[in-house]
Amino acid sequence: MALLIKENFHSVSHTIRSLLSKNNAIILSCIGTGVGFGLLRWYFSGAKCRCTKQLTGKTVIVTGSNKGIGRETARDFAKRGARVILAVRDITKGERAAEDIRQSTGNNNVIVRIVDLSSLESVRKFCRHILEKEERLDILVNNAGVRFCPHWTSQEGYELHFAVNHLGHFLLTNLLVNLMKKSAPSRIICVTCMAYEEGSINFDDLNSQRSYDPWTAYTQSKLANILFSQELSNRLTGSGVTVNSVHPGIVQSELGRYTGDNKPALWRRLLIKIVGFIIMKTPQQGAQTSIYCAVSDKIENVSGKYFSDCCIRETSSVAKDKVTSTQLWDISCKRVNLHLPPT
């Protein structure tokens, strides 16, 4: 029996060596491809927030937090012990997300509040509720947004990208900023996108009534995010409230649900999946820079900066125009009917 086992072992070993010898090129090619894919995935996954700071006793608000980056950002804050307010448009999706976060973190202090950023009245109602019920607000993450949607308008008649991505957050932040001053040190994070570099603020046609292009409307709103965060940072100097903007990277999310054909060809869907798998971050990876800007002690006093992959990045010239940022601020105040004391 022992001789039979030994003979079979040698036979199997010989067969394996033979296969390896004949198929070295194929095997090495497969290994190389796998390693290459792995390295690409690692490269595009971006930096990770390593800060272990706890947020016990802190209150945070994350807009657009029922899915994607916002949900993972809120989940991280909940893990750190914060009171987390999910500011969402859909109560059913919001409650589902809140329960998921409670279950995964063991933190039951996760609540849902309704706000539709395309409605200024909804924003005001949300803020009234927060000011009535909350004693403090330590972190505000302006995360919600739309991208490449059709030429739709908000309840007040403003182009939807500009209304949701900029005006809604502009009003919400300004209505809550006094509470954040009382809670200082506190932090405001505005989620933007590197596509801002292609944007410009068309003051003559902010509503894109003369002509409409989804890309142009989107990039204008993302540039507005950075200009707003920098202008707000200047106005809050010495208040104990910092304001920074972040580029999360290219992330797998529903934000681009209006992009392209509804039913692309099979080969196109496969290509998108393959490319997406390689270069797109997961929502958890995409949330890392927002989390870093919210909790890192290294940037406690840093304000008015633009971050990507948990590092400060230089902005392009379009984001450094102080005349444009001031003009945008003044027009935004008029659009949302906000009366602020002069700085």
Side-chain angles (χ1 to χ4, degrees):
M1 178 63 71
L3 289 175
L4 182 59
I5 293 174
K6 185 175 182 180
E7 182 179 344
N8 286 336
F9 174 79
H10 285 303
S11 176
V12 171
S13 299
H14 176 75
T15 302
I16 292 173
R17 285 196 299 270
S18 177
L19 286 172
L20 288 173
S21 177
K22 292 178 181 178
N23 297 285
N24 267 345
I26 296 175
I27 293 170
L28 290 174
S29 176
C30 291
I31 292 173
T33 301
V35 171
F37 270 110
L39 288 173
L40 283 171
R41 284 289 296 147
W42 171 81
Y43 175 79
F44 284 109
S45 67
K48 181 176 176 61
C49 177
R50 304 290 180 182
C51 177
T52 59
K53 182 178 181 178
Q54 292 298 297
L55 296 176
T56 306
K58 306 292 186 181
T59 298
V60 306
I61 294 176
V62 185
T63 67
S65 43
N66 64 291
K67 58 183 180 295
I69 299 173
R71 186 170 181 164
E72 295 308 318
T73 303
R75 190 192 308 278
D76 183 275
F77 294 157
K79 286 181 181 177
R80 296 171 188 268
R83 172 175 170 79
V84 181
I85 300 173
L86 308 184
V88 301
R89 186 167 57 95
D90 187 307
I91 183 65
T92 302
K93 292 181 179 179
E95 290 292 354
R96 190 181 303 137
E99 184 58 27
D100 171 56
I101 293 171
R102 294 183 199 112
Q103 291 291 332
S104 65
T105 65
N107 183 348
N108 289 322
N109 203 1
V110 180
I111 62 173
V112 179
R113 294 288 179 260
I114 300 302
V115 61
D116 181 354
L117 289 161
S118 68
S119 165
L120 298 179
E121 178 53 38
S122 176
V123 173
R124 291 181 186 278
K125 183 178 180 180
F126 169 82
C127 292
R128 282 196 299 268
H129 184 87
I130 294 298
L131 294 175
E132 289 172 2
K133 300 296 183 180
E134 301 299 329
E135 296 181 355
R136 61 184 304 115
L137 178 57
D138 302 273
I139 299 168
L140 169 62
V141 183
N142 292 328
N143 168 82
V146 295
R147 181 176 66 185
F148 308 148
C149 59
H151 193 192
W152 293 335
T153 56
S154 69
Q155 183 173 308
E156 288 77 18
Y158 301 130
E159 189 278 316
L160 200 64
H161 290 93
F162 194 70
V164 173
N165 297 353
H166 172 60
L167 289 178
H169 282 125
F170 177 88
L171 178 60
L172 184 147
T173 303
N174 275 294
L175 291 178
L176 296 179
V177 75
N178 284 335
L179 179 59
M180 300 196 74
K181 288 179 182 179
K182 294 177 183 177
S183 310
S186 51
R187 306 188 192 190
I188 299 169
I189 296 93
C190 299
V191 179
T192 182
C193 172
M194 67 181 300
Y196 84 87
E197 296 177 1
E198 302 294 323
S200 62
I201 307 298
N202 186 356
F203 290 109
D204 294 326
D205 190 24
L206 284 175
N207 275 343
S208 306
Q209 292 174 321
R210 297 174 188 171
S211 64
Y212 179 74
D213 174 68
W215 173 256
T216 302
Y218 176 69
T219 56
Q220 175 178 251
S221 71
K222 293 292 100 180
L223 174 58
N225 291 155
I226 292 187
L227 293 173
F228 165 54
S229 67
Q230 292 177 344
E231 182 70 18
L232 181 61
S233 173
N234 291 335
R235 291 169 182 260
L236 292 176
T237 299
S239 68
V241 183
T242 61
V243 190
N244 292 295
S245 54
V246 306
H247 166 56
I250 305 173
V251 182
Q252 302 164 12
S253 72
E254 294 182 17
L255 195 60
R257 57 190 176 275
Y258 306 114
T259 308
D261 303 326
N262 289 329
K263 294 182 179 179
L266 177 61
W267 69 268
R268 186 178 177 186
R269 294 201 301 271
L270 290 173
L271 181 60
I272 291 172
K273 284 185 178 295
I274 293 171
V275 173
F277 175 77
I278 296 173
I279 71 171
M280 286 187 175
K281 295 180 178 180
T282 64
Q284 184 182 39
Q285 292 166 342
Q288 294 305 304
T289 305
S290 293
I291 296 166
Y292 176 81
C293 287
V295 302
S296 175
D297 290 330
K298 294 180 180 179
I299 60 167
E300 185 175 5
N301 298 312
V302 174
S303 189
K305 300 300 182 182
Y306 169 66
F307 285 78
S308 177
D309 282 330
C310 302
C311 291
I312 296 176
R313 306 293 182 181
E314 187 70 19
T315 55
S316 67
S317 58
V318 295
K320 297 177 180 178
D321 190 333
K322 294 185 178 180
V323 174
T324 300
S325 65
T326 301
Q327 187 177 357
L328 176 64
W329 181 278
D330 293 339
I331 287 179
S332 299
C333 284
K334 292 177 182 177
R335 292 286 175 100
V336 303
N337 194 27
L338 185 66
H339 303 286
L340 296 172
T343 56

